[in-house]
Amino acid sequence: MPYEIDLSAEVSDDLQHLQPWARRSLEAALLTAAADPFQLPTLPQQSVHARILSFADGRGLCMVEVDEDSKRLAVRLIQPPR
């Protein structure tokens, strides 16, 4: 069963400001990550539950916090694509 994607209000606002191609790329990457978030690379010196998600051909980055108990992914935009 896939994890639920939890976008904060801030990320939802950021999503609205992305170019359509970048938004589609992020949405597709999140759906893929929701299937198995532990396939994402970890962030050095962070919790084992903190993962990095690249999108838009590596030009955009998000941090994904994996909550195993509730099967949720909390998403924070680190670097919007340029």
Side-chain angles (χ1 to χ4, degrees):
M1 182 170 162
Y3 283 66
E4 182 180 338
I5 300 167
D6 184 12
L7 297 177
S8 67
E10 179 182 339
V11 173
S12 292
D13 287 344
D14 290 340
L15 250 170
Q16 299 307 314
H17 293 101
L18 292 177
Q19 294 291 328
W21 63 270
R23 187 177 323 123
R24 285 190 301 272
S25 175
L26 176 55
E27 290 167 350
L30 286 170
L31 289 175
T32 300
D36 188 0
F38 290 102
Q39 294 298 316
L40 296 173
T42 58
L43 286 168
Q45 300 181 7
Q46 295 287 329
S47 161
V48 67
H49 299 288
R51 303 295 172 136
I52 191 80
L53 175 68
S54 174
F55 66 100
D57 296 325
R59 293 181 279 182
L61 295 174
C62 286
M63 185 172 82
V64 177
E65 290 279 344
V66 181
D67 183 341
E68 290 182 82
D69 295 330
S70 66
K71 297 285 190 192
R72 296 175 71 99
L73 302 178
V75 180
R76 285 192 278 160
L77 190 62
I78 296 173
Q79 174 185 323
R82 302 192 193 291

